[in-house]
Amino acid sequence: MDLREQEYVTVLAKHGNITKAAEELYVSQPTLSIFLKRLEERMGIKLFQYIGKKMVLTQAGELYVKRAKELLIIQNQFLGELSDLVAGYTGRIRIGTHIRRTSFFIPELLVKFEKNYPNIEIICSEISSEEMEKMLLEGELDIIFTNKLVSLDKLNVISIYKDKLLIAISPNNPACKYAVKIKGHEYPWLDLNHVKNNRFIIQDIEQATRTFTNKALAHAKVNPEKIFVIRNMEAASQLAAEEYGVAFTMASYAKYFSYYKPVNFYEVGAPDFFVNICVAYRKDFYLPTYIQDFISLIRKTFV
């Protein structure tokens, strides 16, 4: 199956720019421009129109891209099934994950996977939970590694591990003495009321960690008076170490935290609250053996 034409148009639609699309497709800009011109001439209709410098789909273009994505999904399923059939295992895995997680597990994972599947290409997109779920549903990704899903009715979900929300706090903070140990929990638990007068260093509203932080604040009935917003959770924990305030992060991030000043981590919110970190893929997606093994390696990485 050769769906190069459909792939070119969908990538053009994604970027709205010839240069960026050509870079992703590894073709020259003139080649892509000539391809689009000839395609539109052959079809007798415009697929794109220019609004300023951006290429925007026409109504015909929207219909084309919708059907092209469906065809590309079918092609990926076919190639996966065919690869299993011939057991030669050539293909690719397009994975979506958060940028902060790539440094924690991707290096070790890829090295192990390549030993068994040297001819499988891995393409990693480091994006937000919302973006990766959208790309997954549209057939632009094969699997995603995430802690936040919306369209559960359209996805198969494989639980990998249970993550916990933590507060990062300087060891010099008087609230540390109120932390209590809970049986079976890795970190002591702290009531947020003991730090309610501190500056709260929190993430942007669209970040998943901010959602979990808001739940913890609601559980403790704490309404922070002083807030500092920052996207980078590593920097947030560093600010906590510098006694600028108290910050929030996830346990999966905290174990990799490194700074020249110490910081204490405690669980917060409802003691039984956890975040399910999972791998998800579309229910209509054929899962080739090599992707199944890739998911198994992800699980082993977090054991």
Side-chain angles (χ1 to χ4, degrees):
M1 298 174 73
D2 186 359
L3 299 180
R4 190 175 307 172
E5 174 188 305
Q6 287 74 18
E7 182 181 10
Y8 280 15
V9 175
T10 54
V11 172
L12 277 165
K14 180 173 73 171
H15 291 289
N17 180 280
I18 288 280
T19 302
K20 291 181 179 179
E23 289 174 357
E24 179 174 333
L25 294 166
Y26 298 103
V27 298
S28 68
Q29 183 177 338
T31 297
L32 194 55
S33 296
I34 292 170
F35 155 79
L36 181 59
K37 181 181 179 182
R38 289 177 177 172
L39 175 62
E40 291 180 329
E41 287 176 350
R42 190 173 76 244
M43 295 182 67
I45 195 168
K46 286 285 185 181
L47 298 177
F48 293 89
Q49 60 182 334
Y50 277 92
I51 298 180
K53 294 183 178 180
K54 186 175 177 63
M55 295 175 66
V56 179
L57 288 168
T58 62
Q59 187 174 359
E62 290 176 354
L63 178 60
Y64 183 101
V65 169
K66 178 183 177 181
R67 298 308 182 194
K69 286 181 176 180
E70 293 172 357
L71 288 172
L72 289 168
I73 289 173
I74 293 171
Q75 176 183 248
N76 285 330
Q77 290 181 231
F78 167 72
L79 292 175
E81 293 172 8
L82 188 63
S83 184
D84 277 352
L85 183 65
V86 300
Y89 298 125
T90 59
R92 66 182 182 183
I93 306 176
R94 301 167 301 171
I95 179 172
T97 184
H98 301 117
I99 190 169
R100 292 176 184 85
R101 295 192 191 280
T102 52
S103 60
F104 303 155
F105 78 99
I106 286 293
E108 179 184 356
L109 179 66
L110 295 193
V111 170
K112 289 181 177 178
F113 183 76
E114 189 175 46
K115 289 179 180 178
N116 295 324
Y117 298 98
N119 297 319
I120 301 296
E121 179 187 12
I122 304 293
I123 301 172
C124 188
S125 296
E126 300 166 297
I127 45 181
S128 69
S129 299
E130 291 78 10
E131 288 177 294
M132 70 174 82
E133 185 170 345
K134 180 176 181 291
M135 291 178 68
L136 180 67
L137 292 171
E138 292 181 353
E140 296 176 24
L141 293 174
D142 300 315
I143 60 173
I144 60 175
F145 186 63
T146 184
N147 59 4
K148 186 179 179 182
L149 291 168
V150 176
S151 305
L152 292 173
D153 60 319
K154 300 177 182 177
L155 301 172
N156 287 321
V157 180
I158 301 172
S159 181
I160 301 298
Y161 71 96
K162 295 177 180 179
D163 210 353
K164 301 287 288 188
L165 177 70
L166 304 180
I167 189 170
I169 185 170
S170 166
N172 299 324
N173 193 306
C176 292
K177 64 184 179 183
Y178 297 107
V180 295
K181 289 188 176 294
I182 299 178
K183 187 177 179 180
H185 288 232
E186 183 178 357
Y187 295 90
W189 179 84
L190 182 67
D191 186 338
L192 286 174
N193 281 283
H194 294 301
V195 294
K196 64 182 180 181
N197 294 323
N198 287 246
R199 177 186 287 110
F200 281 66
I201 305 165
I202 57 179
Q203 277 66 56
D204 276 346
I205 192 69
E206 74 273 11
Q207 290 179 262
T209 305
R210 174 67 177 271
T211 301
F212 308 142
T213 299
N214 288 346
K215 287 183 179 180
L217 291 170
H219 174 80
K221 298 180 180 178
V222 170
N223 186 22
E225 294 184 5
K226 293 182 289 184
I227 289 178
F228 179 77
V229 178
I230 187 170
R231 292 188 62 86
N232 190 309
M233 283 189 282
E234 184 84 0
S237 294
Q238 291 173 354
L239 286 168
E242 293 286 354
E243 301 183 53
Y244 187 70
V246 296
F248 296 88
T249 189
M250 305 305 297
S252 56
Y253 298 148
K255 66 181 181 179
Y256 295 101
F257 177 75
S258 177
Y259 195 57
Y260 75 97
K261 287 187 178 181
V263 65
N264 288 355
F265 293 106
Y266 303 113
E267 292 182 15
V268 290
D272 59 350
F273 175 77
F274 66 87
V275 179
N276 188 31
I277 306 299
C278 61
V279 168
Y281 60 96
R282 295 185 313 280
K283 285 186 175 180
D284 62 353
F285 178 65
Y286 176 78
L287 210 60
T289 300
Y290 58 83
I291 294 186
Q292 294 179 38
D293 289 350
F294 187 81
I295 294 172
S296 295
L297 278 177
I298 293 177
R299 269 183 163 161
K300 290 176 183 177
T301 301
F302 286 95
V303 171

